[in-house]
Amino acid sequence: MAEEKNFKIKIICPDRVFYEGEAEMVEFTASEGDIGIYKNHIPLTTAIKPGVLTITDDQGGKKAAVHAGFVEVLGDSVTVLAEIAEWPDEIDVDRAQRAKERAEARLATKEEGIDVLRAEVALKKALVRIGLSGK
């Protein structure tokens, strides 16, 4: 008899349980780089960087923008605590485009006192949103 290959995944945001279900694999951008998780992965706790989180299940793949947080991986479950998670149809592309332009302008000015790291993170979040929306 074949072993069950799915595990439980739960994505929790401050304002809602974003997703709860089963997955065959989940991929996301961690502080160490891109990671793919299958059932029985070694236990792991890591920070998430802005990027696309992909959930692969029996119906195919679901993609969401995730902008910061933490992931806890146990043998048969993955829990994501995300600052923000958005499905592609929830993304306001015009707002993301404006945020991209503001961040690029901040980075281009090189003014004293500009929080470069904050502008870079804002730019990455905007690019993730725009890229995931497909527009």
Side-chain angles (χ1 to χ4, degrees), residues 11-99:
I11 303 170
I12 304 167
C13 297
D15 61 339
R16 64 181 169 158
V17 174
F18 178 75
Y19 179 82
E20 188 169 9
E22 291 199 354
E24 194 174 303
M25 183 174 76
V26 63
E27 299 170 275
F28 55 89
T29 303
S31 56
E32 301 84 16
D34 292 339
I35 294 180
I37 304 292
Y38 289 96
K39 185 175 181 174
N40 297 322
H41 191 283
I42 61 168
L44 171 72
T45 301
T46 188
I48 298 174
K49 291 177 73 174
V52 175
L53 181 140
T54 303
I55 301 166
T56 303
D57 59 18
D58 297 338
Q59 285 77 44
K62 299 172 184 65
K63 293 184 182 287
V66 178
H67 299 295
F70 295 92
V71 175
E72 177 188 53
V73 178
L74 300 174
D76 62 350
S77 69
V78 172
T79 303
V80 179
L81 301 175
E83 177 186 305
I84 299 170
E86 303 166 295
W87 297 115
D89 63 348
E90 296 175 329
I91 294 171
D92 182 338
V93 181
D94 292 333
R95 182 175 176 217
Q97 186 63 40
R98 290 190 306 273

Coordinates of all heavy atoms in Angstrom, one line a residue, residues 11-99:
I11 N -2.2 28.5 6.7 CA -1.6 29.9 6.5 C -2.5 30.8 7.3 O -3.7 31.0 7.0 CB -1.5 30.3 5.0 CG1 -0.7 29.2 4.2 CG2 -0.9 31.7 4.9 CD1 -0.8 29.4 2.7
I12 N -1.8 31.4 8.3 CA -2.6 32.3 9.2 C -2.0 33.7 9.1 O -0.8 33.9 9.1 CB -2.4 31.8 10.7 CG1 -2.9 30.4 10.8 CG2 -3.2 32.7 11.6 CD1 -2.5 29.7 12.1
C13 N -3.0 34.7 8.9 CA -2.6 36.1 8.9 C -3.3 36.8 10.1 O -4.1 36.2 10.7 CB -3.2 36.8 7.6 SG -2.4 36.1 6.1
P14 N -2.9 38.0 10.4 CA -3.4 38.6 11.6 C -5.0 38.8 11.5 O -5.7 38.7 12.6 CB -2.8 40.0 11.7 CG -1.5 39.8 11.0 CD -1.8 38.8 9.9
D15 N -5.5 38.9 10.3 CA -6.9 39.2 10.2 C -7.8 38.0 9.7 O -9.0 38.1 9.7 CB -7.2 40.3 9.2 CG -6.6 40.0 7.8 OD1 -5.8 39.1 7.7 OD2 -7.1 40.7 6.8
R16 N -7.1 36.8 9.4 CA -7.9 35.7 9.0 C -7.0 34.4 8.9 O -5.8 34.5 8.8 CB -8.5 36.0 7.6 CG -7.5 36.2 6.5 CD -8.1 36.5 5.2 NE -7.2 36.9 4.2 CZ -7.3 36.9 2.9 NH1 -8.4 36.4 2.4 NH2 -6.4 37.3 2.1
V17 N -7.7 33.3 8.8 CA -7.0 32.1 8.4 C -7.1 32.1 6.9 O -8.2 32.0 6.3 CB -7.7 30.8 8.9 CG1 -7.0 29.6 8.4 CG2 -7.6 30.8 10.5
F18 N -5.9 32.3 6.2 CA -5.9 32.6 4.8 C -6.1 31.3 4.0 O -6.8 31.3 3.0 CB -4.5 33.1 4.4 CG -4.3 33.3 2.9 CD1 -4.9 34.4 2.3 CD2 -3.5 32.5 2.2 CE1 -4.7 34.6 0.9 CE2 -3.3 32.7 0.9 CZ -3.9 33.7 0.2
Y19 N -5.6 30.2 4.5 CA -5.7 28.9 3.8 C -5.6 27.8 4.8 O -4.7 27.8 5.7 CB -4.7 28.7 2.7 CG -4.8 27.4 1.9 CD1 -5.7 27.3 0.9 CD2 -4.0 26.4 2.2 CE1 -5.9 26.1 0.2 CE2 -4.1 25.2 1.6 CZ -5.0 25.0 0.6 OH -5.1 23.8 -0.1
E20 N -6.4 26.7 4.6 CA -6.2 25.5 5.5 C -6.6 24.3 4.6 O -7.7 24.3 4.0 CB -7.1 25.6 6.7 CG -6.9 24.5 7.7 CD -7.5 24.7 9.0 OE1 -8.3 25.7 9.1 OE2 -7.3 24.0 9.9
G21 N -5.7 23.4 4.5 CA -6.0 22.2 3.6 C -4.9 21.2 3.7 O -4.1 21.2 4.6
E22 N -4.8 20.5 2.6 CA -3.7 19.5 2.4 C -2.9 19.8 1.2 O -3.4 20.4 0.3 CB -4.3 18.1 2.3 CG -4.9 17.6 3.6 CD -5.0 16.1 3.7 OE1 -4.8 15.4 2.7 OE2 -5.4 15.6 4.8
A23 N -1.6 19.5 1.2 CA -0.7 19.7 0.1 C 0.2 18.6 -0.1 O 0.5 17.8 0.9 CB 0.1 21.0 0.4
E24 N 0.7 18.4 -1.3 CA 1.7 17.5 -1.6 C 3.1 18.1 -1.5 O 4.0 17.5 -1.1 CB 1.5 17.0 -3.1 CG 2.2 15.8 -3.5 CD 1.8 15.4 -4.9 OE1 0.6 15.1 -5.1 OE2 2.7 15.3 -5.7
M25 N 3.1 19.4 -1.8 CA 4.3 20.2 -1.7 C 4.0 21.7 -1.5 O 2.9 22.1 -1.9 CB 5.2 20.1 -2.9 CG 6.5 20.8 -2.8 SD 7.6 20.5 -4.2 CE 6.9 21.6 -5.5
V26 N 4.8 22.4 -0.8 CA 4.7 23.8 -0.7 C 6.1 24.4 -0.9 O 7.1 23.9 -0.5 CB 4.1 24.3 0.7 CG1 5.0 23.9 1.9 CG2 3.8 25.8 0.7
E27 N 6.1 25.5 -1.7 CA 7.3 26.2 -2.0 C 7.2 27.7 -1.6 O 6.1 28.3 -1.8 CB 7.6 26.2 -3.5 CG 7.8 24.8 -4.0 CD 7.8 24.7 -5.5 OE1 6.7 24.7 -6.1 OE2 8.9 24.8 -6.1
F28 N 8.3 28.3 -1.1 CA 8.2 29.7 -0.7 C 9.7 30.2 -0.6 O 10.6 29.4 -0.7 CB 7.5 29.9 0.7 CG 8.1 29.0 1.8 CD1 9.2 29.5 2.5 CD2 7.6 27.8 2.0 CE1 9.7 28.7 3.5 CE2 8.2 27.0 3.0 CZ 9.2 27.5 3.8
T29 N 9.8 31.5 -0.5 CA 11.1 32.1 -0.3 C 11.4 32.4 1.1 O 10.7 33.1 1.8 CB 11.2 33.5 -1.1 OG1 10.8 33.2 -2.5 CG2 12.6 34.1 -1.0
A30 N 12.4 31.7 1.6 CA 12.8 31.8 3.0 C 14.0 32.7 3.1 O 14.6 33.1 2.1 CB 13.1 30.5 3.6
S31 N 14.4 33.1 4.3 CA 15.6 33.9 4.5 C 16.8 33.2 3.9 O 17.8 33.9 3.5 CB 15.8 34.3 5.9 OG 15.9 33.1 6.7
E32 N 16.9 31.9 3.8 CA 18.0 31.2 3.2 C 17.9 31.0 1.7 O 18.8 30.5 1.1 CB 18.1 29.8 3.9 CG 18.3 29.8 5.4 CD 16.9 29.9 6.2 OE1 15.9 29.7 5.6 OE2 17.0 30.3 7.3
G33 N 16.8 31.3 1.1 CA 16.6 31.1 -0.3 C 15.3 30.4 -0.5 O 14.5 30.2 0.4
D34 N 15.0 29.9 -1.7 CA 13.8 29.2 -2.1 C 13.8 27.8 -1.5 O 14.9 27.1 -1.5 CB 13.6 29.1 -3.6 CG 13.4 30.5 -4.2 OD1 12.9 31.4 -3.5 OD2 13.6 30.6 -5.4
I35 N 12.7 27.4 -0.9 CA 12.6 26.1 -0.2 C 11.3 25.4 -0.7 O 10.3 26.0 -0.9 CB 12.5 26.3 1.3 CG1 13.7 26.9 1.9 CG2 12.2 25.0 2.0 CD1 13.7 27.1 3.4
G36 N 11.5 24.1 -0.9 CA 10.3 23.2 -1.2 C 10.2 22.2 -0.1 O 11.2 21.6 0.3
I37 N 9.0 22.0 0.3 CA 8.7 21.2 1.5 C 7.8 20.0 1.0 O 6.7 20.3 0.4 CB 8.0 21.9 2.6 CG1 8.8 23.1 3.1 CG2 7.7 21.0 3.8 CD1 10.1 22.8 3.7
Y38 N 8.2 18.8 1.3 CA 7.3 17.6 1.1 C 7.0 17.0 2.5 O 7.6 17.4 3.5 CB 8.1 16.5 0.3 CG 8.2 16.9 -1.2 CD1 9.4 17.5 -1.6 CD2 7.2 16.6 -2.1 CE1 9.5 17.8 -3.0 CE2 7.4 16.9 -3.4 CZ 8.5 17.5 -3.9 OH 8.7 17.8 -5.2
K39 N 6.1 16.1 2.5 CA 5.8 15.4 3.8 C 7.1 14.8 4.4 O 7.9 14.3 3.6 CB 4.7 14.3 3.6 CG 4.3 13.6 4.8 CD 3.1 12.7 4.6 CE 2.7 12.1 5.9 NZ 1.5 11.2 5.7
N40 N 7.1 14.8 5.7 CA 8.3 14.2 6.4 C 9.6 15.0 6.3 O 10.6 14.4 6.5 CB 8.5 12.7 6.1 CG 7.3 11.9 6.5 OD1 6.7 12.1 7.6 ND2 6.9 10.9 5.7
H41 N 9.5 16.3 5.9 CA 10.6 17.1 5.9 C 11.2 17.2 7.3 O 10.4 17.1 8.2 CB 10.2 18.5 5.3 CG 11.4 19.4 5.0 ND1 12.1 20.1 6.0 CD2 11.9 19.8 3.8 CE1 13.0 20.8 5.4 NE2 12.9 20.6 4.1
I42 N 12.5 17.5 7.4 CA 13.0 17.6 8.7 C 12.3 18.8 9.4 O 12.0 19.8 8.7 CB 14.5 17.8 8.7 CG1 14.9 19.1 7.9 CG2 15.2 16.6 8.2 CD1 16.4 19.5 8.1
P43 N 12.2 18.8 10.7 CA 11.6 20.0 11.4 C 12.4 21.2 11.1 O 13.6 21.2 11.1 CB 11.7 19.6 12.9 CG 11.7 18.1 12.9 CD 12.5 17.7 11.6
L44 N 11.7 22.3 10.9 CA 12.3 23.5 10.5 C 11.5 24.7 10.9 O 10.2 24.7 10.8 CB 12.5 23.5 9.0 CG 13.0 24.8 8.3 CD1 14.4 25.1 8.6 CD2 12.7 24.7 6.8
T45 N 12.1 25.8 11.4 CA 11.4 27.0 11.6 C 12.3 28.1 10.9 O 13.5 28.1 11.1 CB 11.3 27.4 13.1 OG1 10.6 26.4 13.7 CG2 10.6 28.7 13.3
T46 N 11.7 28.9 10.0 CA 12.4 29.8 9.2 C 11.6 31.1 8.9 O 10.3 31.0 9.0 CB 12.9 29.2 7.9 OG1 13.8 30.1 7.2 CG2 11.8 28.9 7.0
A47 N 12.2 32.2 8.6 CA 11.6 33.4 8.3 C 11.2 33.4 6.8 O 12.0 32.8 6.0 CB 12.5 34.6 8.6
I48 N 10.1 34.0 6.4 CA 9.7 34.2 5.0 C 10.1 35.5 4.5 O 10.0 36.5 5.2 CB 8.2 34.0 4.9 CG1 7.7 32.7 5.3 CG2 7.8 34.3 3.4 CD1 6.2 32.6 5.3
K49 N 10.6 35.6 3.3 CA 10.9 36.9 2.6 C 9.7 37.1 1.6 O 9.1 36.1 1.2 CB 12.2 36.8 1.9 CG 13.4 36.8 2.9 CD 14.7 36.6 2.2 CE 15.1 37.9 1.5 NZ 16.4 37.9 0.9
P50 N 9.5 38.3 1.2 CA 8.5 38.5 0.2 C 8.7 37.7 -1.0 O 9.8 37.6 -1.6 CB 8.6 40.0 -0.1 CG 9.3 40.6 1.1 CD 10.2 39.6 1.6
G51 N 7.6 37.0 -1.4 CA 7.7 36.1 -2.6 C 6.4 35.4 -2.8 O 5.4 35.7 -2.2
V52 N 6.4 34.5 -3.8 CA 5.3 33.7 -4.1 C 5.3 32.4 -3.4 O 6.3 31.7 -3.4 CB 5.2 33.4 -5.7 CG1 4.0 32.5 -6.0 CG2 5.1 34.7 -6.4
L53 N 4.2 32.0 -2.7 CA 4.1 30.7 -2.0 C 3.2 29.9 -2.9 O 2.1 30.3 -3.4 CB 3.4 30.9 -0.7 CG 3.3 29.7 0.1 CD1 3.6 29.9 1.6 CD2 1.9 29.1 0.0
T54 N 3.7 28.7 -3.3 CA 3.0 27.8 -4.1 C 2.6 26.5 -3.4 O 3.4 25.9 -2.7 CB 3.8 27.4 -5.4 OG1 4.3 28.5 -6.1 CG2 3.1 26.5 -6.3
I55 N 1.3 26.2 -3.4 CA 0.8 25.0 -2.8 C 0.4 24.1 -3.9 O -0.4 24.4 -4.7 CB -0.5 25.3 -1.9 CG1 -0.2 26.4 -0.9 CG2 -1.1 24.1 -1.4 CD1 -1.4 27.0 -0.2
T56 N 1.0 22.9 -3.9 CA 0.7 21.9 -4.9 C -0.1 20.8 -4.2 O 0.3 20.2 -3.2 CB 2.0 21.3 -5.5 OG1 2.8 22.3 -6.0 CG2 1.7 20.2 -6.6
D57 N -1.3 20.5 -4.8 CA -2.1 19.5 -4.2 C -2.7 18.6 -5.4 O -2.2 18.7 -6.5 CB -3.3 20.1 -3.4 CG -4.1 21.0 -4.2 OD1 -4.1 21.0 -5.4 OD2 -4.9 21.8 -3.5
D58 N -3.6 17.8 -5.1 CA -4.2 16.9 -6.1 C -4.8 17.6 -7.3 O -4.9 17.1 -8.4 CB -5.2 15.9 -5.4 CG -4.6 15.1 -4.4 OD1 -3.4 14.8 -4.4 OD2 -5.4 14.6 -3.5
Q59 N -5.3 18.8 -7.1 CA -5.9 19.6 -8.1 C -4.9 20.5 -8.9 O -5.3 21.1 -9.9 CB -7.0 20.5 -7.6 CG -8.3 19.8 -7.2 CD -8.2 19.1 -5.9 OE1 -7.6 19.6 -4.9 NE2 -8.7 17.8 -5.8
G60 N -3.7 20.5 -8.6 CA -2.7 21.3 -9.3 C -2.0 22.2 -8.3 O -1.7 21.9 -7.2
G61 N -1.8 23.5 -8.7 CA -1.1 24.4 -7.9 C -1.9 25.7 -7.6 O -2.7 26.1 -8.4
K62 N -1.7 26.2 -6.4 CA -2.3 27.5 -6.0 C -1.2 28.4 -5.7 O -0.2 28.0 -5.0 CB -3.2 27.3 -4.8 CG -4.4 26.4 -4.9 CD -5.0 26.2 -3.6 CE -6.2 25.2 -3.6 NZ -5.8 23.9 -3.9
K63 N -1.2 29.6 -6.1 CA -0.2 30.6 -5.8 C -0.7 31.8 -5.1 O -1.8 32.2 -5.3 CB 0.5 31.1 -7.1 CG 1.3 30.0 -7.9 CD 2.0 30.5 -9.1 CE 2.7 29.5 -9.8 NZ 3.9 29.0 -9.2
A64 N 0.1 32.2 -4.1 CA -0.3 33.4 -3.3 C 0.9 34.2 -3.0 O 2.0 33.7 -3.0 CB -0.9 32.9 -2.0
A65 N 0.7 35.5 -2.9 CA 1.8 36.4 -2.5 C 1.9 36.4 -1.0 O 0.8 36.6 -0.3 CB 1.5 37.9 -3.0
V66 N 3.1 36.2 -0.5 CA 3.3 36.2 1.0 C 4.4 37.2 1.2 O 5.4 37.2 0.6 CB 3.6 34.8 1.5 CG1 3.9 34.9 3.0 CG2 2.5 33.8 1.2
H67 N 4.2 38.1 2.2 CA 5.1 39.3 2.3 C 6.0 39.3 3.5 O 6.9 40.2 3.6 CB 4.3 40.6 2.2 CG 3.6 40.7 0.9 ND1 4.3 40.8 -0.3 CD2 2.3 40.6 0.6 CE1 3.4 40.9 -1.3 NE2 2.2 40.8 -0.8
A68 N 5.8 38.5 4.5 CA 6.7 38.4 5.6 C 6.1 37.4 6.6 O 4.9 37.2 6.6 CB 7.0 39.7 6.3
G69 N 6.9 36.8 7.5 CA 6.4 36.0 8.5 C 7.3 34.8 8.8 O 8.5 34.9 8.6
F70 N 6.7 33.8 9.3 CA 7.5 32.6 9.7 C 6.8 31.3 9.3 O 5.6 31.3 9.2 CB 7.7 32.6 11.2 CG 8.5 33.7 11.8 CD1 7.9 34.9 12.2 CD2 9.9 33.7 11.8 CE1 8.6 36.0 12.6 CE2 10.6 34.7 12.3 CZ 10.0 35.9 12.7
V71 N 7.6 30.3 9.1 CA 7.1 29.0 8.7 C 7.6 28.0 9.8 O 8.8 28.0 10.1 CB 7.5 28.5 7.3 CG1 7.1 27.1 7.0 CG2 7.0 29.5 6.3
E72 N 6.7 27.1 10.2 CA 7.1 26.0 11.1 C 6.8 24.7 10.3 O 5.6 24.5 9.9 CB 6.3 26.0 12.4 CG 6.7 24.8 13.3 CD 5.8 24.7 14.5 OE1 4.5 24.7 14.3 OE2 6.3 24.6 15.6
V73 N 7.8 23.9 10.1 CA 7.6 22.6 9.4 C 7.8 21.5 10.4 O 8.8 21.4 11.1 CB 8.7 22.5 8.3 CG1 8.5 21.1 7.6 CG2 8.5 23.6 7.3
L74 N 6.8 20.6 10.5 CA 6.9 19.4 11.3 C 6.7 18.3 10.3 O 6.3 18.5 9.1 CB 5.8 19.4 12.4 CG 6.0 20.6 13.4 CD1 4.8 20.6 14.4 CD2 7.3 20.5 14.1
G75 N 6.8 17.0 10.7 CA 6.7 15.9 9.8 C 5.5 15.9 8.9 O 5.6 15.6 7.7
D76 N 4.3 16.1 9.5 CA 3.1 16.0 8.7 C 2.3 17.3 8.7 O 1.1 17.3 8.4 CB 2.2 14.9 9.3 CG 1.8 15.1 10.7 OD1 2.3 16.1 11.3 OD2 1.0 14.4 11.2
S77 N 3.0 18.4 9.0 CA 2.2 19.7 8.9 C 3.2 20.9 8.7 O 4.3 20.8 9.1 CB 1.4 19.9 10.2 OG 2.3 20.2 11.3
V78 N 2.6 21.9 8.0 CA 3.4 23.2 7.8 C 2.4 24.3 8.2 O 1.3 24.3 7.8 CB 3.7 23.3 6.3 CG1 4.3 24.7 6.1 CG2 4.7 22.3 5.9
T79 N 2.9 25.1 9.1 CA 2.1 26.3 9.5 C 2.9 27.6 9.1 O 4.1 27.7 9.4 CB 1.9 26.3 11.1 OG1 1.3 25.1 11.4 CG2 1.1 27.5 11.5
V80 N 2.2 28.4 8.4 CA 2.7 29.7 8.0 C 2.0 30.8 8.7 O 0.8 30.9 8.7 CB 2.5 29.9 6.5 CG1 3.1 31.2 6.0 CG2 3.1 28.7 5.7
L81 N 2.8 31.6 9.4 CA 2.3 32.8 10.1 C 2.8 34.0 9.2 O 4.0 34.3 9.2 CB 2.9 32.9 11.5 CG 2.5 31.8 12.4 CD1 3.2 32.0 13.8 CD2 1.0 31.6 12.6
A82 N 1.9 34.6 8.5 CA 2.2 35.6 7.5 C 1.7 36.9 7.9 O 0.5 37.1 8.3 CB 1.7 35.2 6.1
E83 N 2.5 37.9 7.7 CA 2.1 39.3 7.9 C 0.9 39.7 6.9 O -0.1 40.2 7.3 CB 3.2 40.3 7.7 CG 2.9 41.7 7.8 CD 4.2 42.5 7.4 OE1 5.2 42.4 8.0 OE2 4.0 43.4 6.5
I84 N 1.2 39.3 5.6 CA 0.2 39.5 4.6 C 0.2 38.3 3.6 O 1.3 37.9 3.3 CB 0.5 40.8 3.8 CG1 0.4 42.0 4.6 CG2 -0.5 40.9 2.6 CD1 0.9 43.3 3.9
A85 N -0.9 37.8 3.2 CA -1.0 36.8 2.2 C -2.2 37.2 1.3 O -3.2 37.6 1.8 CB -1.2 35.4 2.8
E86 N -2.0 37.1 0.0 CA -3.0 37.5 -1.0 C -3.1 36.5 -2.2 O -2.0 36.1 -2.7 CB -2.6 38.8 -1.6 CG -2.5 39.9 -0.6 CD -1.8 41.2 -1.2 OE1 -0.6 41.1 -1.6 OE2 -2.5 42.2 -1.2
W87 N -4.3 36.2 -2.5 CA -4.5 35.4 -3.8 C -4.3 36.4 -4.9 O -4.6 37.6 -4.7 CB -5.9 34.8 -3.8 CG -6.1 33.7 -2.7 CD1 -7.0 33.8 -1.7 CD2 -5.4 32.5 -2.6 NE1 -6.9 32.7 -0.9 CE2 -5.9 31.9 -1.4 CE3 -4.4 31.8 -3.3 CZ2 -5.5 30.6 -1.0 CZ3 -4.0 30.6 -2.8 CH2 -4.5 30.0 -1.7
P88 N -4.0 35.9 -6.1 CA -3.9 36.8 -7.3 C -5.1 37.8 -7.5 O -4.9 38.9 -7.8 CB -3.7 35.9 -8.5 CG -3.0 34.7 -7.9 CD -3.7 34.5 -6.5
D89 N -6.3 37.3 -7.3 CA -7.5 38.1 -7.5 C -7.7 39.1 -6.4 O -8.6 40.0 -6.6 CB -8.7 37.2 -7.8 CG -9.1 36.4 -6.6 OD1 -8.3 36.3 -5.6 OD2 -10.2 35.8 -6.6
E90 N -7.0 39.1 -5.4 CA -7.1 40.0 -4.3 C -6.1 41.2 -4.4 O -6.2 42.2 -3.7 CB -6.9 39.4 -2.9 CG -7.9 38.3 -2.5 CD -7.5 37.6 -1.3 OE1 -6.3 37.4 -0.9 OE2 -8.4 37.2 -0.6
I91 N -5.2 41.1 -5.4 CA -4.2 42.1 -5.5 C -4.7 43.3 -6.3 O -5.3 43.2 -7.4 CB -3.0 41.5 -6.2 CG1 -2.3 40.4 -5.3 CG2 -1.9 42.6 -6.6 CD1 -1.3 39.6 -6.0
D92 N -4.5 44.5 -5.7 CA -4.8 45.8 -6.4 C -3.5 46.2 -7.2 O -2.6 46.7 -6.6 CB -5.1 46.8 -5.3 CG -5.5 48.2 -5.9 OD1 -5.1 48.5 -7.1 OD2 -6.1 49.0 -5.2
V93 N -3.6 45.9 -8.5 CA -2.4 46.0 -9.3 C -2.0 47.5 -9.5 O -0.8 47.8 -9.4 CB -2.6 45.4 -10.7 CG1 -1.4 45.6 -11.6 CG2 -3.0 43.9 -10.6
D94 N -3.0 48.4 -9.6 CA -2.7 49.8 -9.7 C -1.9 50.3 -8.4 O -1.0 51.1 -8.5 CB -3.9 50.6 -9.9 CG -4.6 50.4 -11.2 OD1 -3.8 50.0 -12.2 OD2 -5.8 50.5 -11.4
R95 N -2.4 49.9 -7.3 CA -1.8 50.3 -6.0 C -0.3 49.7 -6.0 O 0.6 50.4 -5.5 CB -2.6 49.7 -4.8 CG -2.0 50.1 -3.5 CD -3.0 49.7 -2.4 NE -2.3 50.0 -1.1 CZ -2.4 49.2 0.0 NH1 -3.2 48.1 -0.1 NH2 -1.9 49.5 1.1
A96 N -0.2 48.4 -6.4 CA 1.2 47.8 -6.4 C 2.1 48.6 -7.3 O 3.3 48.8 -7.0 CB 1.1 46.4 -6.8
Q97 N 1.6 49.0 -8.5 CA 2.4 49.8 -9.5 C 2.8 51.1 -8.9 O 4.0 51.5 -9.0 CB 1.6 50.0 -10.7 CG 2.4 50.6 -11.9 CD 3.5 49.8 -12.3 OE1 3.4 48.5 -12.5 NE2 4.7 50.4 -12.6
R98 N 1.9 51.8 -8.2 CA 2.3 53.0 -7.5 C 3.3 52.8 -6.4 O 4.3 53.6 -6.3 CB 1.0 53.7 -6.9 CG 0.1 54.3 -8.0 CD -1.0 55.2 -7.4 NE -1.8 54.6 -6.4 CZ -2.9 53.8 -6.6 NH1 -3.3 53.6 -7.8 NH2 -3.5 53.3 -5.6
A99 N 3.2 51.7 -5.7 CA 4.2 51.4 -4.6 C 5.5 51.1 -5.2 O 6.6 51.5 -4.7 CB 3.7 50.2 -3.8

